[in-house]
Amino acid sequence: NPKLAAYLFAGRAFMYGTGLAVTGSVGATMLIASAMKVNTLQEFSLKARELSLKQFPALQGNHSEAEEKGEDDGSVEFMRELREELSKDEEDPYSKDSVHHMIRERLKKELGPLSK
């Protein structure tokens, strides 16, 4: 049956290709691990960071106080802007003709005491 032979050929080719890919990946991993003299993923991470900073000092970048505390600069800036927006809302509440005011009034009317 030629159709069965074609499927068997494709299946064998797929198995050989998968085997070669897995063998190559494992071999490359073992080669890199032995060259770097590491045994765990954590050791690899530390060693790779150390080597990359040594080879490419520009990757080190500028460290801010937020990074030293373990915070992201983007999140610090976001929280600062959020604080400013909230303080603006407290100082200047929504005007009587704003959409927010209309929604708030409708919720108060429909929910009654539950709206607080």
Side-chain angles (χ1 to χ4, degrees):
N1 189 358
K3 209 172 196 181
L4 180 62
Y7 287 135
L8 288 174
F9 178 76
R12 266 194 316 236
F14 184 72
M15 281 191 330
Y16 286 134
T18 302
L20 284 171
V22 168
T23 303
S25 299
V26 170
T29 302
M30 291 175 69
L31 181 68
I32 291 170
S34 67
M36 292 178 73
K37 296 181 177 86
V38 295
N39 293 321
T40 65
L41 189 57
Q42 187 176 12
E43 288 177 3
F44 173 78
S45 175
L46 292 172
K47 188 83 165 194
R49 181 175 291 139
E50 178 186 314
L51 289 173
S52 65
L53 290 177
K54 209 179 281 183
Q55 294 294 323
F56 307 104
L59 293 177
Q60 194 169 15
N62 297 328
H63 292 292
S64 65
E65 289 179 21
E67 277 183 8
E68 289 172 7
K69 291 181 193 173
E71 299 171 353
D72 182 23
D73 283 337
S75 64
V76 171
E77 184 158 338
F78 171 76
M79 292 304 291
R80 186 178 306 124
E81 289 176 8
L82 181 63
R83 238 184 272 122
E84 289 173 9
E85 288 293 321
L86 289 175
S87 66
K88 285 179 188 175
D89 287 347
E90 289 173 2
E91 293 169 5
D92 184 30
Y94 300 115
S95 64
K96 294 287 182 192
D97 59 300
S98 73
V99 175
H100 297 286
H101 182 72
M102 292 186 317
I103 292 171
R104 186 181 302 131
E105 291 303 313
R106 177 135 186 207
L107 281 173
K108 282 183 183 178
K109 186 175 102 180
E110 299 213 4
L111 294 176
L114 298 175
S115 66
K116 293 183 181 181

